[in-house]
Amino acid sequence: MLGKVKEVQAKMKEAQESLGSIQTTAEAGAGMVSATVNGKKELIDLKLDQSLFTPDDQEMLKDLVIAAVNKAIADVDILAKEELKKSTEGMMPNIPGFDLSNMM
């Protein structure tokens, strides 16, 4: 059993290191703002439509950026959990309530 735990720990570490390669992009404002986030929940790209750069639209721009970034983070969280689940699949018995994805 101890050997299995060490094997799971090694797989978890490997899976966590690979999260940087997982990416997702989310949009807000019908594509006027797009945010790309990696599996480590880091914002790695942000695209803003030029039409948003007017003094009158500052509040809307802020709201759209926040919406796009939050959506991208939520989406990449799902992808990261799926990747982690694939990496550890079959290594531990199916114990109800025992979720390794919370270890990220």
Side-chain angles (χ1 to χ4, degrees):
M1 181 70 170
L2 185 58
K4 197 67 140 169
V5 170
K6 287 186 182 208
E7 187 179 348
V8 169
Q9 286 176 329
K11 285 285 190 181
M12 290 284 291
K13 183 177 180 185
E14 182 181 310
Q16 287 174 337
E17 289 171 358
S18 72
L19 292 179
S21 64
I22 297 172
Q23 296 181 5
T24 188
T25 301
E27 297 180 346
M32 292 173 35
V33 174
S34 71
T36 302
V37 176
N38 68 18
K40 295 179 180 181
K41 299 181 185 177
E42 299 168 330
L43 179 65
I44 57 174
D45 192 26
L46 182 65
K47 294 180 182 164
L48 308 170
D49 189 277
Q50 290 293 327
S51 67
L52 295 171
F53 293 106
T54 64
D56 296 336
D57 291 333
Q58 283 184 342
E59 193 65 30
M60 181 177 65
L61 175 60
K62 181 181 87 169
D63 292 342
L64 292 175
V65 168
I66 290 169
V69 170
N70 286 337
K71 174 75 169 111
I73 289 172
D75 290 350
V76 83
D77 193 39
I78 292 167
L79 293 174
K81 284 182 181 180
E82 289 172 2
E83 183 69 23
L84 193 57
K85 185 177 179 180
K86 280 192 274 184
S87 296
T88 58
E89 196 167 38
M91 298 191 70
M92 294 293 284
N94 186 14
I95 301 170
F98 187 65
D99 184 8
L100 292 175
S101 65
N102 292 331
M103 296 177 73
M104 290 190 336

